[in-house]
Protein backbone atom coordinates (compact mmCIF):
# COMPACT_ATOMS: atom_id res chain seq x y z
CA UNK A 1 0.00 0.00 0.00
CA UNK A 2 1.23 3.54 -0.73
CA UNK A 3 1.18 6.81 1.19
CA UNK A 4 -1.90 8.70 2.34
CA UNK A 5 -1.50 12.40 3.16
CA UNK A 6 -3.76 14.34 5.53
CA UNK A 7 -3.48 18.09 5.03
CA UNK A 8 -5.25 21.08 6.52
CA UNK A 9 -7.17 22.90 3.77
CA UNK A 10 -7.49 26.19 5.66
CA UNK A 11 -5.59 27.81 8.56
CA UNK A 12 -5.25 24.75 10.76
CA UNK A 13 -7.53 23.52 13.56
CA UNK A 14 -9.75 21.80 11.02
CA UNK A 15 -9.92 18.46 12.83
CA UNK A 16 -7.00 16.61 11.26
CA UNK A 17 -6.33 14.68 14.47
CA UNK A 18 -9.74 13.03 14.30
CA UNK A 19 -9.20 12.07 10.66
CA UNK A 20 -5.76 10.62 11.44
CA UNK A 21 -7.22 8.67 14.35
CA UNK A 22 -9.92 7.27 12.07
CA UNK A 23 -7.46 6.22 9.34
CA UNK A 24 -4.83 4.81 11.71
CA UNK A 25 -6.17 1.22 11.79
CA UNK A 26 -5.09 0.74 8.17
CA UNK A 27 -1.62 2.25 8.63
CA UNK A 28 1.65 0.64 9.65
CA UNK A 29 3.52 3.92 10.17
CA UNK A 30 1.95 7.29 11.00
CA UNK A 31 4.40 10.14 10.47
CA UNK A 32 4.27 13.83 11.33
CA UNK A 33 6.04 15.81 8.62
CA UNK A 34 6.13 19.54 9.45
CA UNK A 35 5.86 22.18 12.14
CA UNK A 36 6.66 21.90 15.81
CA UNK A 37 4.90 22.12 19.15
CA UNK A 38 3.13 25.24 17.88
CA UNK A 39 0.65 22.76 16.41
CA UNK A 40 -1.68 20.59 18.44
CA UNK A 41 -3.99 17.71 17.69
CA UNK A 42 -6.60 16.78 20.27
CA UNK A 43 -7.67 13.15 20.51
CA UNK A 44 -10.51 12.03 22.81
CA UNK A 45 -10.60 8.28 23.47
CA UNK A 46 -11.48 5.93 26.31
CA UNK A 47 -12.39 8.81 28.59
CA UNK A 48 -9.09 10.62 28.07
CA UNK A 49 -8.44 13.88 26.25
CA UNK A 50 -4.94 14.04 24.80
CA UNK A 51 -3.53 17.27 23.43
CA UNK A 52 -0.60 16.14 21.36
CA UNK A 53 1.91 18.64 20.02
CA UNK A 54 4.64 16.40 18.59
CA UNK A 55 3.66 12.74 18.87
CA UNK A 56 1.43 11.66 15.94
CA UNK A 57 -2.29 11.44 16.66
CA UNK A 58 -2.42 7.68 16.04
CA UNK A 59 -0.44 6.91 19.18
CA UNK A 60 -3.46 5.30 20.88
CA UNK A 61 -3.54 2.58 18.20
CA UNK A 62 -1.06 0.01 19.58
CA UNK A 63 -0.16 -1.56 16.22
CA UNK A 64 1.11 1.70 14.68
CA UNK A 65 4.67 2.99 14.62
CA UNK A 66 4.71 6.74 15.23
CA UNK A 67 7.44 8.78 13.52
CA UNK A 68 8.33 12.41 14.13
CA UNK A 69 9.82 13.24 10.76
CA UNK A 70 12.82 15.24 9.66
CA UNK A 71 10.68 18.20 8.57
CA UNK A 72 9.59 18.78 12.17
CA UNK A 73 11.35 21.05 14.65
CA UNK A 74 11.40 19.49 18.12
CA UNK A 75 11.37 20.97 21.59
CA UNK A 76 12.78 18.02 23.57
CA UNK A 77 11.31 19.27 26.83
CA UNK A 78 7.82 19.12 25.31
CA UNK A 79 8.47 15.74 23.71
CA UNK A 80 9.64 14.18 26.98
CA UNK A 81 6.57 15.61 28.74
CA UNK A 82 4.25 14.10 26.11
CA UNK A 83 5.92 10.71 26.39
CA UNK A 84 5.55 10.82 30.17
CA UNK A 85 1.88 11.79 29.92
CA UNK A 86 1.17 8.95 27.51
CA UNK A 87 3.11 6.43 29.59
CA UNK A 88 1.09 7.41 32.66
CA UNK A 89 -2.04 6.41 30.72
CA UNK A 90 -0.54 3.03 29.88
CA UNK A 91 0.32 3.87 26.26
CA UNK A 92 3.39 2.15 24.80
CA UNK A 93 5.98 4.87 24.17
CA UNK A 94 9.04 2.66 23.97
CA UNK A 95 11.67 3.39 21.27
CA UNK A 96 10.40 0.54 19.13
CA UNK A 97 7.10 2.36 18.85
CA UNK A 98 7.83 6.11 19.01
CA UNK A 99 10.61 7.18 16.68
CA UNK A 100 12.36 10.48 16.08
CA UNK A 101 14.04 11.19 12.75
CA UNK A 102 17.71 12.02 13.21
CA UNK A 103 17.48 14.94 10.76
CA UNK A 104 14.76 16.77 12.70
CA UNK A 105 16.00 20.07 14.14
CA UNK A 106 16.08 20.95 17.83
CA UNK A 107 14.47 23.98 19.48
CA UNK A 108 16.46 25.68 22.26
CA UNK A 109 15.22 28.08 24.97
CA UNK A 110 17.06 30.85 23.13
CA UNK A 111 15.02 30.13 20.00
CA UNK A 112 11.91 30.81 22.06
CA UNK A 113 13.45 33.94 23.55
CA UNK A 114 14.35 35.26 20.10
CA UNK A 115 10.86 34.49 18.83
CA UNK A 116 9.32 36.58 21.59
CA UNK A 117 11.87 39.39 21.23
CA UNK A 118 11.23 39.72 17.50
CA UNK A 119 7.47 39.75 18.00
CA UNK A 120 7.74 42.52 20.58
CA UNK A 121 10.06 44.50 18.30
CA UNK A 122 7.46 44.37 15.51
CA UNK A 123 4.96 46.19 17.69
CA UNK A 124 1.62 46.62 15.92
CA UNK A 125 3.02 44.69 12.98
CA UNK A 126 3.50 41.53 15.02
CA UNK A 127 2.81 38.31 13.14
CA UNK A 128 1.03 36.56 15.98
CA UNK A 129 3.47 33.69 16.41
CA UNK A 130 3.09 31.22 19.26
CA UNK A 131 6.51 32.34 20.55
CA UNK A 132 7.65 28.73 20.81
CA UNK A 133 10.80 29.25 18.77
CA UNK A 134 9.52 27.66 15.57
CA UNK A 135 10.57 30.42 13.15
CA UNK A 136 14.05 30.98 14.63
CA UNK A 137 14.71 27.22 14.58
CA UNK A 138 13.76 26.93 10.91
CA UNK A 139 15.88 30.03 10.26
CA UNK A 140 18.90 28.32 11.83
CA UNK A 141 18.14 25.22 9.76
CA UNK A 142 18.18 27.27 6.56
CA UNK A 143 21.36 29.07 7.69
CA UNK A 144 22.97 25.65 8.33
CA UNK A 145 23.84 26.42 11.92
CA UNK A 146 21.07 24.44 13.63
CA UNK A 147 21.28 21.35 15.81
CA UNK A 148 19.83 18.07 14.53
CA UNK A 149 18.24 15.43 16.72
CA UNK A 150 20.82 12.88 15.58
CA UNK A 151 23.44 14.71 17.65
CA UNK A 152 21.68 13.37 20.75
CA UNK A 153 23.25 9.97 20.06
CA UNK A 154 26.31 11.50 21.78
CA UNK A 155 24.80 13.36 24.76
CA UNK A 156 28.07 15.03 25.77
CA UNK A 157 28.80 16.27 22.27
CA UNK A 158 25.17 17.36 21.93
CA UNK A 159 25.41 19.38 25.15
CA UNK A 160 28.53 21.11 23.81
CA UNK A 161 26.66 22.00 20.61
CA UNK A 162 23.75 23.33 22.66
CA UNK A 163 26.15 25.49 24.67
CA UNK A 164 27.77 26.98 21.56
CA UNK A 165 24.48 27.78 19.85
CA UNK A 166 23.09 29.24 23.08
CA UNK A 167 26.10 31.56 23.30
CA UNK A 168 25.55 32.71 19.72
CA UNK A 169 21.88 33.38 20.39
CA UNK A 170 22.72 35.21 23.64
CA UNK A 171 24.83 37.69 21.68
CA UNK A 172 21.74 38.57 19.65
CA UNK A 173 19.47 38.70 22.69
CA UNK A 174 21.75 41.02 24.66
CA UNK A 175 23.14 43.28 21.92
CA UNK A 176 20.19 43.56 19.53
CA UNK A 177 17.25 43.27 21.91
CA UNK A 178 18.72 44.34 25.26
CA UNK A 179 17.56 41.16 27.00
CA UNK A 180 19.18 39.09 29.71
CA UNK A 181 21.15 36.09 28.41
CA UNK A 182 19.86 32.55 28.83
CA UNK A 183 21.99 30.41 31.15
CA UNK A 184 24.39 28.39 29.01
CA UNK A 185 25.29 25.98 31.81
CA UNK A 186 21.69 25.21 32.81
CA UNK A 187 20.57 24.82 29.21
CA UNK A 188 23.41 22.46 28.32
CA UNK A 189 22.74 20.36 31.43
CA UNK A 190 19.03 20.11 30.69
CA UNK A 191 19.62 19.14 27.06
CA UNK A 192 22.18 16.55 28.08
CA UNK A 193 19.43 14.92 30.15
CA UNK A 194 16.97 15.11 27.23
CA UNK A 195 19.53 13.45 24.97
CA UNK A 196 19.98 10.62 27.46
CA UNK A 197 16.23 10.12 27.47
CA UNK A 198 15.58 10.39 23.72
CA UNK A 199 18.68 8.93 22.06
CA UNK A 200 17.20 5.43 21.77
CA UNK A 201 14.24 6.85 19.84
CA UNK A 202 16.48 8.13 17.03
CA UNK A 203 16.10 6.58 13.61
CA UNK A 204 16.90 7.25 9.97
CA UNK A 205 13.43 8.54 9.14
CA UNK A 206 13.77 8.32 5.36
CA UNK A 207 14.98 4.72 5.61
CA UNK A 208 12.03 3.78 7.82
CA UNK A 209 9.62 5.35 5.33
CA UNK A 210 11.30 3.61 2.38
CA UNK A 211 11.18 0.23 4.12
CA UNK A 212 7.52 0.72 5.03
CA UNK A 213 6.54 1.47 1.46
CA UNK A 214 8.78 -1.23 -0.05
CA UNK A 215 7.19 -3.85 2.19
CA UNK A 216 3.72 -2.89 0.98
CA UNK A 217 2.57 -1.24 4.18
CA UNK A 218 0.54 1.97 4.39
CA UNK A 219 2.27 5.20 5.40
CA UNK A 220 -0.11 7.78 6.88
CA UNK A 221 1.35 11.29 6.77
CA UNK A 222 0.11 13.80 9.32
CA UNK A 223 0.35 17.47 8.47
CA UNK A 224 0.27 20.36 10.93
CA UNK A 225 -1.30 23.80 10.46
CA UNK A 226 -3.00 24.28 7.08
CA UNK A 227 -2.53 25.23 3.44
CA UNK A 228 -3.20 28.93 4.02
CA UNK A 229 -0.41 28.98 6.62
CA UNK A 230 2.13 27.45 4.23
CA UNK A 231 5.35 29.45 4.05
CA UNK A 232 5.30 29.65 0.25
CA UNK A 233 1.61 29.44 -0.64
CA UNK A 234 -0.18 30.88 2.39
CA UNK A 235 -1.28 34.37 3.41
CA UNK A 236 2.30 35.64 3.73
CA UNK A 237 3.67 37.06 6.01
CA UNK A 238 0.98 35.72 8.35
CA UNK A 239 2.09 32.14 7.86
CA UNK A 240 4.03 29.41 9.63
CA UNK A 241 7.68 28.65 8.90
CA UNK A 242 7.30 25.25 7.25
CA UNK A 243 5.64 23.60 4.28
CA UNK A 244 2.08 22.81 5.38
CA UNK A 245 0.86 21.68 1.93
CA UNK A 246 0.90 18.10 0.64
CA UNK A 247 4.36 18.53 -0.90
CA UNK A 248 5.75 19.11 2.58
CA UNK A 249 5.20 15.43 3.34
CA UNK A 250 7.59 14.43 0.57
CA UNK A 251 10.39 16.73 1.68
CA UNK A 252 9.66 16.36 5.40
CA UNK A 253 9.71 12.55 5.34
CA UNK A 254 11.89 11.82 2.32
CA UNK A 255 9.94 9.92 -0.32
CA UNK A 256 8.83 10.49 -3.90
CA UNK A 257 5.48 11.59 -5.38
CA UNK A 258 4.86 8.25 -7.10
CA UNK A 259 4.22 6.73 -3.67
CA UNK A 260 1.26 9.03 -2.97
CA UNK A 261 -2.09 7.34 -3.49
CA UNK A 262 -4.38 9.83 -1.82
CA UNK A 263 -4.36 13.35 -0.43
CA UNK A 264 -7.11 14.19 2.04
CA UNK A 265 -7.77 17.87 2.65
CA UNK A 266 -9.58 18.58 5.91
CA UNK A 267 -11.79 21.66 6.16
CA UNK A 268 -14.39 22.99 8.60
CA UNK A 269 -17.33 25.34 8.30
CA UNK A 270 -17.04 28.73 9.94
Amino acid sequence: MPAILVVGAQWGDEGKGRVIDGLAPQAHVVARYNGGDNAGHTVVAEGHTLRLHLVPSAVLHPHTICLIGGGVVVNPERLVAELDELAALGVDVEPGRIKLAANAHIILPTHRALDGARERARGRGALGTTRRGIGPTYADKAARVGLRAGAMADPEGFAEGVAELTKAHNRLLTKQFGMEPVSVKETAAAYYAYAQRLKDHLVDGSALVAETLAEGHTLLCEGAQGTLLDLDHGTYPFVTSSSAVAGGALTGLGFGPREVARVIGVAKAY
Side-chain angles (χ1 to χ4, degrees), residues 98-185:
I98 309 293
K99 299 182 182 295
L100 172 60
N103 60 334
H105 276 249
I106 297 297
I107 298 172
L108 301 184
T110 43
H111 285 124
R112 298 195 296 274
L114 286 167
D115 198 356
R118 287 167 180 163
E119 276 290 89
R120 288 190 293 273
R122 292 184 183 105
R124 296 179 63 182
L127 300 176
T129 77
T130 58
R131 304 193 181 196
R132 293 187 178 177
I134 309 301
T137 306
Y138 277 115
D140 276 357
K141 175 180 178 177
R144 295 165 291 180
V145 297
L147 283 170
R148 282 179 154 187
M152 290 193 291
D154 172 14
E156 291 185 0
F158 178 66
E160 291 174 3
V162 167
E164 289 305 310
L165 189 54
T166 299
K167 291 175 185 177
H169 288 163
N170 276 340
R171 288 192 286 272
L172 285 174
L173 288 169
T174 57
K175 295 180 180 180
Q176 184 173 345
F177 296 105
M179 294 177 61
E180 291 296 316
V182 173
S183 171
V184 174
K185 184 177 180 179

Side-chain angles (χ1 to χ4, degrees), residues 45-70:
E46 299 178 2
H48 300 292
T49 299
L50 295 178
R51 291 178 175 85
L52 302 170
H53 295 273
L54 289 166
V55 177
S57 302
V59 68
L60 293 179
H61 295 268
H63 72 283
T64 59
I65 293 172
C66 293
L67 170 67
I68 301 168

Side-chain angles (χ1 to χ4, degrees), residues 37 51-55 59 68 73-89 91-94 98-100 106-107 112 152 158 189-202:
D37 64 310
R51 291 178 175 85
L52 302 170
H53 295 273
L54 289 166
V55 177
V59 68
I68 301 168
V73 290
V74 177
N75 177 349
E77 179 181 7
R78 178 65 69 113
L79 179 54
V80 167
E82 282 190 28
L83 294 177
D84 287 344
E85 179 183 2
L86 289 165
L89 295 174
V91 179
D92 179 8
V93 294
E94 292 302 310
I98 309 293
K99 299 182 182 295
L100 172 60
I106 297 297
I107 298 172
R112 298 195 296 274
M152 290 193 291
F158 178 66
Y191 275 64
Y192 174 84
Y194 297 144
Q196 291 280 26
R197 174 71 183 277
L198 296 172
K199 63 180 181 177
D200 291 338
H201 292 268
L202 294 170

